[in-house]
Amino acid sequence: MTFGPEPYDRVGIFFDMSNLYFAARDMGIRIDYARLLEFLLNHRRLHRAYAYLGVGPDDESHGFITWLSRNGFRVKTKPLRRYEDGTTKANLDMELAIDLLTQAPHIDVAVIVSGDGDFARLVDAAQGQ
């Protein structure tokens, strides 16, 4: 009996781009998203790769969104909300959760790229499907 990636596994990857961006920034690294996607696939079949991204009205991320779309990502955006304390949030966790639960019957492996521990219960629910 062998364990590990099987080339016929269908993989769904869900990128929480905000968490990923801030983690990379805090560590002083730049992410090559194409190589990261390839690494996470690990010679398996990509079913879908989602990128969840908050955008501001004067945001210059349109080129990045276009690049993601042209390189195999399904980009889901939502307007950023500014709060009185100066912070911004887009709250795309629900979109990620719905997409994962919707895709769970069609994939063999789900990868959530996020630093958000709130997704632990979501993983349990997806495994139940």
Side-chain angles (χ1 to χ4, degrees), residues 1 7 15 64 70 116:
M1 178 180 273
F15 289 90
F64 180 57
R70 290 181 179 166
D116 195 337

Side-chain angles (χ1 to χ4, degrees), residues 13-16 48-52 73-76 99 103:
I13 306 177
F14 304 84
F15 289 90
D16 180 344
R48 292 208 176 116
Y50 291 94
Y52 302 90
F73 294 84
R74 289 190 181 205
V75 181
K76 303 274 184 125
D99 288 340
Q103 294 305 312

Side-chain angles (χ1 to χ4, degrees), residues 16-27:
D16 180 344
M17 298 302 277
S18 177
N19 269 316
L20 187 56
Y21 168 79
F22 287 112
R25 185 192 71 179
D26 291 348
M27 293 189 305

